[in-house]
Every structure is written in structure tokens, then in C-alpha cells.
Amino acid sequence: MKKSRTPMEKRAIYPGSFDPITNGHVDIILRGEKLFPHILIAVLENPKKKTLFSTAERIKIIREIFKDHSHIEVRAFRGLLVEFAKKHYARIVIRGLRAVSDFEYEFQMALMNKKINPTVETIFMMPSVKYTFLSSSLVKEVFALGGCVSDLVPLVVEKRLHEKFQKLK
Ligand code: PNS
């Protein structure tokens, strides 16, 4: 979809590390697409942060999951999120809120983003209750210790985890 077709106030950004994307993230994106005609999934590229999957790998995985969703776009970003939002004509930032423990960090981030760019609005969405315990770090830990993650991540992620850990052995 061309940028000009969707008004700024309807273009949403869903930022995150997505290392890897989980069913909790997918749930938020699927809910988000019922509210916003265009969602830009912004994958954090942070050279200082060690990730299991490279930025290119994370992007490839997410693109594969949403290949049939023409109004979902996936891009890497670095630097300030609100600058990236501005560059891509988006005013809404979607964040998932799983539990009270997420609140403080999310609250700080939303207020800081608002301070830097008052035109950007953060919207919090709750994932389905079955995903409230889920995080990318726990998925990696469970998988690394031989646990089953098939209910927790899309099939493509499970396959990539197998490949990745095979290589790391
Ligand atoms: O999935 P995550 O790791 O919780 O996502 C965190 C993310 C990427 C949303 C956050 O780290 C971020 O926005 N980073 C960009 C840097 C930035 O804009 N910082 C100022 C706002 S606090």
C-alpha cells in the first residue's frame, strides 16, 4: 500500500526486538490490523545488543508470517523510534501490555516518546490471556533446554530455532 493512501493518523507502528517473534506478538498484530489499515512492524537494530537472530533474519521470518497481509510492512529501525515514525508518516505506536510488570517500563517509554514528539500516540493492547506469560527470552530459554515451543511461536520460528541451535552446537 502506498504511504499517501493511508492518512498519518491511521498508520501504526509496532516496534520491538522480535528475537524471535512469538504468538503473543502475532496476536497483537492480528488484533491491530482490525483497527488500523496499515501496520509497520519496526524491528530494532541495535548493534550493542546481542541477539540470537540477526536483524535480516528477524525481518525475513516476520515477512514470511505476514506474506499474505498486503497492509503489513516490515522494516528495520535504529535510533529513536519517534524519528522513525515521523519518517514513515506514522503517528500511532502499538505496544502489547501483558501484565502489571510490563507497565512501568511501557509507561516510561510512552511518556518519553511523547516528550520527544508530542504528535506520536502510544496505544496499548492486551494479548489473549493465553499469551500473557510469553516472552521471546523465555521461548529461547525453553527451546535451548530442550522444551517444546510449538504452541508459543509460529511454525517458521520453530524451524529457524532448530536450524540456529543446530549451527550453534
Ligand atoms: O521488544 P522490546 O525489546 O520490548 O522493544 C523495545 C523498543 C524497540 C520498542 C524500544 O527499545 C525502542 O523504542 N527503542 C528505540 C530507542 C528509542 O526510541 N528510545 C527512546 C524511547 S524510550
Side-chain angles (χ1 to χ4, degrees):
M1 188 180 282
K2 283 204 182 108
K3 278 171 193 158
S4 54
R5 294 239 178 105
T6 311
M8 262 179 104
E9 56 277 12
K10 295 206 172 139
R11 287 175 60 85
I13 287 203
Y14 183 48
S17 304
F18 306 111
D19 186 41
I21 188 166
T22 68
N23 284 346
H25 295 124
V26 171
D27 184 68
I28 294 286
I29 296 162
L30 296 179
R31 284 158 192 259
E33 74 173 345
K34 292 187 187 134
L35 300 173
F36 303 105
H38 186 101
I39 297 183
L40 171 53
I41 302 174
V43 179
L44 180 69
E45 184 170 35
N46 183 354
K48 287 191 194 143
K49 199 172 161 186
K50 176 110 188 69
T51 53
L52 177 65
F53 292 98
S54 69
T55 311
E57 287 171 329
R58 286 177 279 149
I59 288 179
K60 197 169 169 210
I61 290 172
I62 303 171
R63 284 197 178 138
E64 201 168 327
I65 296 167
F66 293 102
K67 60 179 185 299
D68 299 325
H69 301 237
S70 57
H71 47 283
I72 290 181
E73 196 184 344
V74 190
R75 282 176 187 267
F77 87 102
R78 49 164 70 197
L80 285 177
L81 175 66
V82 289
E83 287 301 319
F84 181 78
K86 195 170 154 190
K87 194 171 149 205
H88 291 276
Y89 309 96
R91 280 221 186 110
I92 294 149
V93 172
I94 300 174
R95 289 291 289 170
L97 208 51
R98 290 165 301 186
V100 181
S101 51
D102 279 343
F103 183 77
E104 199 173 331
Y105 171 60
E106 294 298 335
F107 185 69
Q108 265 188 330
M109 247 190 341
L111 291 180
M112 181 56 84
N113 284 337
K114 190 105 194 129
K115 167 91 183 114
I116 308 169
N117 184 343
T119 65
V120 169
E121 230 25 274
T122 302
I123 304 244
F124 293 106
M125 296 182 71
M126 277 171 286
S128 162
V129 72
K130 64 183 182 222
Y131 300 128
T132 46
F133 63 93
L134 189 51
S135 71
S136 301
S137 339
L138 276 184
V139 164
K140 285 182 280 193
E141 187 173 327
V142 169
F143 189 87
L145 297 173
C148 176
V149 296
S150 52
D151 283 348
L152 311 177
V153 293
L155 191 59
V156 53
V157 173
E158 201 183 346
K159 283 185 189 162
R160 298 293 169 266
L161 281 167
H162 277 289
E163 289 166 11
K164 185 64 81 180
F165 279 85
Q166 208 64 37
K167 275 187 203 155
L168 294 177
K169 265 185 195 168

